[in-house]
Amino acid sequence: MLLDSKISIAIKNESGKYIIRSTCFFKLKELNKEITSLNSIKIFNGEILFNIRCPLCGEIHCYKYSLKELVLRDILIGGCDEIGIPIFYIGNYEKIKRKILNYDNINKDIYAMI
C-alpha cells in the first residue's frame, strides 16, 4: 500500500484569512516556525497534537488526532471551542481549497444580506 506523504494545512490568521501551506507529512513539525499562530505540533505514540493560538478568541486550543485518522481521511477540521468557527483544516490540498472557498462565499452572502 502506497501512502501520499504530501499534506496541507490551512490556518486562519488574525485578519480572518486562511494561510495555506503544503509540506511532506514527515516535515509537518517544521510549520510552527513559519506560521506564528501554530504554537506546536508534536507527533507521539501514533497521535499528532496541535496547539494553536486562536485568532478569534485569543486562547490556545489543543487538538489531538490519530495518525491513522489523518492518513485515512481527506480533511480534518478544528474549530474554536468558544465560537465554533473553523480555525484550521488539515489534509488534501484540493479539499481544503474547496472548503475555504465555500466558507468565504457563505460569508460574502451573509455580509451582503446585512
Side-chain angles (χ1 to χ4, degrees):
M1 178 171 136
L2 290 174
L3 294 175
D4 186 11
S5 65
K6 285 179 71 176
I7 194 163
S8 296
I9 187 167
I11 297 180
K12 188 178 278 253
N13 65 13
E14 292 78 23
S15 64
K17 301 289 182 193
Y18 285 97
I19 301 168
I20 302 175
R21 297 292 183 265
S22 294
T23 187
C24 172
F25 182 76
F26 304 104
K27 294 182 180 181
L28 193 60
K29 291 182 356 179
E30 296 175 11
L31 286 178
N32 64 343
K33 297 174 190 168
E34 190 176 337
I35 302 172
T36 57
S37 61
L38 189 57
N39 284 3
S40 70
I41 298 177
K42 296 177 183 175
I43 299 173
F44 183 72
N45 281 346
E47 295 180 328
I48 186 162
L49 306 161
F50 294 97
N51 290 327
I52 299 174
R53 178 166 300 282
C54 181
L56 304 172
C57 70
E59 297 294 318
I60 294 178
H61 299 303
C62 302
Y63 303 92
K64 179 170 66 171
Y65 300 104
S66 73
L67 292 176
K68 182 178 179 183
E69 184 180 20
L70 187 60
V71 170
L72 294 178
R73 295 184 60 184
D74 287 332
I75 189 170
L76 295 173
I77 302 169
C80 176
D81 296 336
E82 300 292 320
I83 302 172
I85 295 175
I87 57 172
F88 80 90
Y89 299 94
I90 186 166
N92 178 284
Y93 178 81
E94 293 301 322
K95 302 266 182 173
I96 291 172
K97 196 72 171 160
R98 269 189 256 136
K99 280 278 190 193
I100 292 171
L101 187 61
N102 186 32
Y103 179 78
D104 287 344
N105 286 337
I106 290 170
N107 282 339
K108 286 177 189 174
D109 291 344
I110 291 170
Y111 291 138
M113 288 191 296
I114 294 175

